[in-house]
Amino acid sequence: ILKKAIGHHEVIIETPNHDEHLSQARITQLIQVIHAYRDRLKALSSLDYVRYVSIFRNYGADAGASLFHPHTQIIATPIIPSIVNEELIKSEKYWEENKKCIFCKIINEEEKSERFIWKNDDFIVFSPWASVHPFEFWIFPKRHQPSILFMSEREIRSFAITIRVSFGGLRNLLDDPSYNLGFHMITSDCYHWHVEVYPRLMQGLEGFVKSTGIFVNTMPPEEAAICLKEAFEKEEDEL
């Protein structure tokens, strides 16, 4: 039985300034962008046929960007993507068995690990264990919350600062690399939203990865975290 495809695809223009990317944006502008994310997430999530809203950003030609003016894309789908669904299933299982959030546990452990990069009062950034991409990093709110709709105004500003520091540091460390950014969030009490960032640095191994499903990361996350931490702290000092 053929079913009609249904969903939404939107583009958020982040700024009227052509060169004001995340790594250089004003905090006030980033706050407006975050509010736009929240407004569209709330509106699209309210539709009966929408089960998931993906907010993502492609930066640079190597990352699939076809427009070079600063922008974010939003796609609403009638299905939950397999990656997020797997995270949700594992989160629910851990919650049922331990009455705690698995991601909160990860945050507490990574804050003390070699993979820790940067934090402020409300957010933490670290390189994930066994990361897939060189210099990959994740951004988590410290307070347990399933999506960006649950952020306070203070946390919104804190998130804007985290974005500015993170992408300013990445730009300076790796000479403005291409990257993909994706929000992981779903409305469930046991889920903990976060942002995953994948710099596009690996060259020449795409055929192997595509044909086997085996990822090759030439930069251990512990070593990447050392470099990123220094770059983030320098960016914070200059902010």
Side-chain angles (χ1 to χ4, degrees):
I1 299 175
L2 295 176
K3 294 184 178 180
K4 182 180 179 181
I6 191 169
H8 298 264
H9 187 183
E10 301 180 354
V11 175
I12 291 180
I13 305 302
E14 300 169 356
T15 171
N17 301 322
H18 183 70
D19 297 321
E20 191 176 43
H21 290 277
L22 297 183
S23 59
Q24 302 164 311
R26 298 156 290 160
I27 298 301
T28 53
Q29 186 64 27
L30 288 174
I31 289 173
Q32 295 300 315
V33 172
I34 295 168
H35 277 293
Y37 291 167
R38 283 158 52 91
D39 290 345
R40 297 313 302 148
L41 174 61
K42 184 176 181 180
L44 292 169
S45 298
S46 69
L47 301 174
D48 292 340
Y49 52 85
V50 170
R51 295 198 63 198
Y52 189 75
V53 179
S54 173
I55 300 177
F56 64 98
R57 194 176 198 274
N58 301 329
Y59 176 74
D62 293 342
S66 57
L67 302 174
F68 293 96
H69 192 98
H71 69 284
T72 303
Q73 298 184 64
I74 300 179
I75 293 181
T77 73
I79 61 170
I80 300 176
S82 58
I83 293 177
V84 178
N85 193 50
E86 184 176 353
E87 290 181 346
L88 178 60
I89 291 171
K90 297 296 185 182
S91 297
E92 289 175 339
K93 181 179 180 181
Y94 189 85
W95 186 280
E96 291 173 359
E97 294 175 351
N98 301 277
K99 310 304 179 186
K100 296 179 181 178
C101 167
I102 181 64
F103 288 115
C104 288
K105 181 177 184 291
I106 291 172
I107 290 169
N108 290 333
E109 292 179 353
E110 294 295 359
E111 187 172 1
K112 297 174 286 188
S113 79
E114 296 176 283
R115 293 173 293 278
F116 168 77
I117 298 173
W118 185 87
K119 67 178 180 179
N120 59 18
D121 290 341
D122 302 297
F123 288 85
I124 182 171
V125 186
F126 57 86
S127 293
W129 181 81
S131 56
V132 171
H133 303 274
F135 293 98
E136 176 181 346
F137 62 89
W138 294 0
I139 302 172
F140 272 86
K142 292 182 179 179
R143 184 170 66 87
H144 180 76
Q145 47 190 293
S147 81
I148 59 175
L149 295 179
F150 293 81
M151 281 195 292
S152 66
E153 286 300 321
R154 189 193 81 169
E155 287 172 325
I156 289 173
R157 178 174 177 77
S158 186
F159 185 37
I161 293 171
T162 302
I163 291 173
R164 179 65 172 76
V165 168
S166 297
F167 290 94
L170 182 67
R171 180 189 183 97
N172 292 331
L173 175 64
L174 300 177
D175 193 25
D176 195 23
S178 298
Y179 62 79
N180 300 108
L181 169 162
F183 284 75
H184 285 216
M185 51 189 174
I186 193 164
T187 302
S188 170
D189 290 339
C190 66
Y191 196 75
H192 197 131
W193 77 270
H194 56 283
V195 176
E196 299 186 7
V197 181
Y198 317 117
R200 304 286 291 189
L201 303 176
M202 188 176 69
Q203 300 292 333
L205 294 173
E206 288 83 355
F208 175 74
V209 173
K210 294 292 185 182
S211 63
T212 64
I214 300 173
F215 288 87
V216 179
N217 185 354
T218 58
M219 171 60 68
E222 293 79 10
E223 293 182 21
I226 293 173
C227 300
L228 289 167
K229 183 177 182 180
E230 183 178 347
F232 281 32
E233 289 175 348
K234 182 178 179 180
E235 184 68 23
E236 181 182 22
D237 291 340
E238 296 176 356
L239 187 63

